[in-house]
Amino acid sequence: MKIDNEAIAEVIEVAKRLDQKGLVNAFEGNISIKRDGLLYITPTGKSKATLTLEKICVIDEDCKQIAGIFPPTSELKMHRAVYEMRDNIGGIVHAHPPFMTAYAMAGIPIQSKCHAEMIWDHKVVEIAPYGRPGSDAIYAGVKPILDKGRDILLLSNHGVLSVGTDVFAALNKLESVENAAKILTIAKFVGDGKYADLPDEEVNILLSL
């Protein structure tokens, strides 16, 4: 199979965007693309800001690394498993954005009746049960959530998993929910724990859209 340098460039672009926004670092977060039978994924323990063409790992269908000067992320097993869960997944972003990860640590789904965009675009961000990083258990609870048509979820006591038809769609969803989680957290302090919820009728309309 021919290696797609455009796919490698896309992984690098997303990695650098996440790094610039403080959503990943050298030891947390990984990005992948599946295209034409090959998996393009970030290496382990390397700064996302300094990734270059030769640092991106390319994995074939037999899980053999065919390109990349460093070994792949320890979450390779999770990425491979998630691609098998739905036919329309072309890109995955796993990250530890501070606000969403705080919800994952607290065991609280992200849901709101006061933020129209959050209701409309994401409805609820559910939590998959805890699994040890790098093990099969970390993704054991992911499929039931993806089967509901959800594209982004929290990994309990760990971080966030976002999928999309391509890696940019996955990134956009992650950025959107992280911003909503930030707003909700700030609003909780500003409102002394209270939100100005939208009327149930309006919430139901937004959920139906």
Side-chain angles (χ1 to χ4, degrees):
M1 295 181 183
K2 184 179 179 181
I3 293 173
D4 187 340
N5 286 333
E6 183 177 341
I8 293 177
E10 289 174 8
V11 170
I12 294 171
E13 181 179 348
V14 169
K16 292 187 175 183
R17 184 163 146 187
L18 287 165
D19 181 85
Q20 289 166 0
K21 296 198 170 192
L23 304 178
V24 294
N25 58 50
F27 305 108
E28 297 181 354
N30 28 78
I31 302 103
S32 73
I33 290 173
K34 185 176 183 182
R35 187 172 296 168
D36 298 327
L38 296 178
L39 183 62
Y40 303 82
I41 194 164
T42 47
T44 185
K46 303 299 175 185
S47 168
K48 308 303 185 292
T50 61
L51 293 178
T52 51
L53 192 76
E54 70 277 5
K55 293 180 182 179
I56 302 303
C57 307
V58 184
I59 311 296
D60 69 13
E61 292 177 325
D62 296 321
C63 204
K64 179 183 177 183
Q65 184 171 346
I66 61 173
I69 60 175
F70 299 116
T73 171
S74 61
E75 305 287 15
L76 171 62
K77 188 183 295 186
M78 178 177 72
H79 284 254
R80 284 172 54 87
V82 171
Y83 281 115
E84 296 301 316
M85 292 179 187
R86 269 197 355 219
D87 293 338
N88 65 344
I89 299 176
I92 296 172
V93 176
H94 167 52
H96 296 178
F99 287 90
M100 292 182 72
T101 301
Y103 276 83
M105 298 295 181
I108 301 172
I110 304 174
Q111 191 170 17
S112 169
K113 290 186 177 182
C114 66
H115 192 269
E117 285 72 22
M118 178 68 197
I119 298 168
W120 191 352
D121 293 334
H122 307 290
K123 297 178 176 61
V124 60
V125 179
E126 299 183 46
I127 305 178
Y130 173 75
R132 187 179 305 118
S135 73
D136 294 332
I138 194 172
Y139 56 82
V142 169
K143 191 174 188 302
I145 298 174
L146 294 183
D147 284 348
K148 297 177 185 178
R150 307 283 191 230
D151 291 330
I152 186 165
L153 56 95
L154 304 177
L155 298 169
S156 181
N157 297 92
H158 188 69
V160 179
L161 184 72
S162 184
V163 305
T165 52
D166 59 51
V167 74
F168 296 107
L171 171 66
N172 291 341
K173 292 180 179 77
L174 188 146
E175 288 183 339
S176 172
V177 177
E178 174 66 359
N179 189 57
K182 180 178 181 179
I183 291 169
L184 291 170
T185 303
I186 295 171
K188 182 176 181 179
F189 286 100
V190 171
D192 195 22
K194 299 178 181 178
Y195 300 114
D197 287 344
L198 294 168
D200 287 343
E201 181 181 357
E202 179 63 14
V203 170
N204 290 334
I205 291 172
L206 290 170
L207 285 170
S208 71
L209 296 176

